[in-house]
């Protein structure tokens, strides 16, 4: 079970949401990285917030997976955030929330970069519209796939069976 945690900007609210999800049986929580800290390039506040969330996650034995909206930031800002995730010890990252229009090949590319350049375990989060999307995910050795629709699951199932 994984639970997306609201994009509330207050770290204490996020901490309590993680605790609540853990008590309800979640094994992982998908946390939106604070976009204000990212936009302001406030590395200290970003790191402090992430470390607080990671400590609560560790205390309640749930995996913390960080969501960033990579389409909102330039590449240097993304690299800053990914570096902070790595320093904080957050292993899993999801490049987008899945609520914005996202090109599957862009998502695969950013996932591959997260893994190659930062050693993070990236979870693909754009739709699977074509068998080729799945095959590119596998070819690029992307750690995971997050499904958002029945049609995406059908493509995944068809690709795995064949």
């Amino acid at each position: 079970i994984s639970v997306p945690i609201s994009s509330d900007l207050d770290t204490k609210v996020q901490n309590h949401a993680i605790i609540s999800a853990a008590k309800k049986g979640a094994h992982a929580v998908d946390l939106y990285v604070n976009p204000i800290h990212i936009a302001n390039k406030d590395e200290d506040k970003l790191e402090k917030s992430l470390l607080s969330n990671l400590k609560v996650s560790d205390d309640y034995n749930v995996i913390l997976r960080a969501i960033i909206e990579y389409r909102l930031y330039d590449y240097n800002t993304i690299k800053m955030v990914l570096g902070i995730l790595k320093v904080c010890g957050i292993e899993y990252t999801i490049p987008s929330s899945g609520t914005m229009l996202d090109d599957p090949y862009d998502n695969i590319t950013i996932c591959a970069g997260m893994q190659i350049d930062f050693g993070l375990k990236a979870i693909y989060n754009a739709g699977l519209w074509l068998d080729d999307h799945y095959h590119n995910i596998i070819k690029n050795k992307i750690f995971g796939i997050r499904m958002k629709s029945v049609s995406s699951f059908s493509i995944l199932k068809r690709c795995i069976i064949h």
Side-chain angles (χ1 to χ4, degrees):
I1 300 171
S2 74
V3 178
I5 299 299
S6 95
S7 58
D8 192 296
L9 303 179
D10 184 76
T11 302
K12 289 180 184 178
V13 173
Q14 290 176 332
N15 287 169
H16 288 289
I18 293 167
I19 293 167
S20 177
K23 287 181 176 180
K24 292 176 183 170
H27 300 286
V29 291
D30 300 342
L31 177 83
Y32 293 89
V33 178
N34 189 314
I36 301 294
H37 297 331
I38 296 172
N40 291 335
K41 295 183 173 58
D42 194 334
E43 297 178 43
D44 291 336
K45 284 184 181 176
L46 185 57
E47 185 174 338
K48 184 178 176 183
S49 176
L50 290 169
L51 286 170
S52 177
N53 288 315
L54 184 60
K55 182 181 182 330
V56 172
S57 296
D58 288 347
D59 289 350
Y60 284 84
N61 200 31
V62 295
I63 297 167
L64 180 64
R65 303 188 305 196
I67 300 172
I68 60 171
E69 288 290 359
Y70 78 98
R71 299 183 78 75
L72 298 178
Y73 310 105
D74 62 55
Y75 188 64
N76 287 331
T77 302
I78 293 168
K79 287 187 346 185
M80 174 201 71
V81 174
L82 296 176
I84 292 170
L85 293 176
K86 181 74 174 172
V87 166
C88 288
I90 295 173
E91 295 180 65
Y92 302 90
T93 187
I94 302 169
S96 64
S97 64
T99 58
M100 296 176 68
L101 184 59
D102 196 0
D103 181 274
Y105 298 109
D106 288 348
N107 199 287
I108 292 167
T109 301
I110 195 73
C111 283
M114 290 172 165
Q115 294 185 167
I116 293 166
D117 297 339
F118 293 92
L120 299 169
K121 295 175 182 171
I123 300 169
Y124 172 87
N125 195 35
L128 284 177
W129 305 329
L130 304 170
D131 292 4
D132 188 57
H133 298 152
Y134 172 78
H135 295 300
N136 272 283
I137 292 166
I138 298 304
K139 181 175 120 183
N140 285 281
K141 300 178 182 172
I142 305 304
F143 174 78
I145 301 173
R146 188 175 189 215
M147 307 308 301
K148 300 181 301 189
S149 71
V150 174
S151 61
S152 289
F153 184 75
S154 297
I155 291 170
L156 177 68
K157 183 178 173 183
R158 181 176 66 239
C159 289
I160 291 172
I161 291 172
H162 294 110

